[in-house]
Amino acid sequence: MRLLVVEDNKDLAAWLGKALRQAQYTIDIAYDGEDAEHLLRVAEYSAMILDLSLPKLDGLTLLKRLRQSGNKLPIIILTANASLDGRVAGLDSGADDYLAKPFEIAELEARIRAVVRRGQDRASSEITVGNLRFSGGTRQFFVEGEPLQLTPREYAVLEQLVMKLGNTVSKAALSESVFGFDDEADPSAIEIYVHRLRKKLEASSVQIATLRGLGYLLRHVQ
């Protein structure tokens, strides 16, 4: 899943980015509301972590604009303003959840999973392909009941293929799910991750097929 973190405190943003990448999310960071608004126009995100006290365009205004435009992106507000009025204003403006600073990263991760499950019905379900099982609630893969050990980027590729089950996923779409704007993306990187995944899935009954000129397709092999 690709997340947008909007936080003007660069130290906190860097800490959040590092922690969430370790939790197998692809992260983009914006330090003000205008940059966030631009990123939302050019990329697709599973959720946004939004601070309210932002330069150029404050978080509450950004939130209202998104909801007025019909954008239903799951949004969690992070703010030092833990007052009742502040929480009510954020939720009434369209936020899905609210977390006051300081906070524990484990709680933020749980809230991210919850808002994404609510926003995407399929993400909350259990998806099975052959003997490969994906649990949307815990964001884990299993083969014959045993956890599949994946690096964060291998996980991002396989998650995208499972969520698009039955459809061909282009290399560009996989790249978007794996790399943030600040990452240095090697053009051959997706091929490398797919190769590694095929090795790790050898004991399973699924296969990542290459459709030349189109992309990749996850399918059950009888």
Side-chain angles (χ1 to χ4, degrees), residues 149-167:
Q149 301 302 318
L150 303 171
T151 67
R153 286 179 174 170
E154 290 167 357
Y155 176 94
V157 170
L158 188 56
E159 181 184 49
Q160 185 76 350
L161 290 170
V162 164
M163 297 307 295
K164 301 291 186 181
L165 189 62
N167 298 291

Side-chain angles (χ1 to χ4, degrees), residues 24 127 131-135 138-143 145-150 154-163 197 201 218:
Q24 299 182 324
I127 301 172
N131 60 3
L132 175 70
R133 179 169 61 87
F134 172 66
S135 170
T138 62
R139 299 184 68 235
Q140 286 186 297
F141 286 96
F142 302 87
V143 173
E146 294 296 320
L148 189 60
Q149 301 302 318
L150 303 171
E154 290 167 357
Y155 176 94
V157 170
L158 188 56
E159 181 184 49
Q160 185 76 350
L161 290 170
V162 164
M163 297 307 295
L197 282 170
L201 291 170
L218 187 70

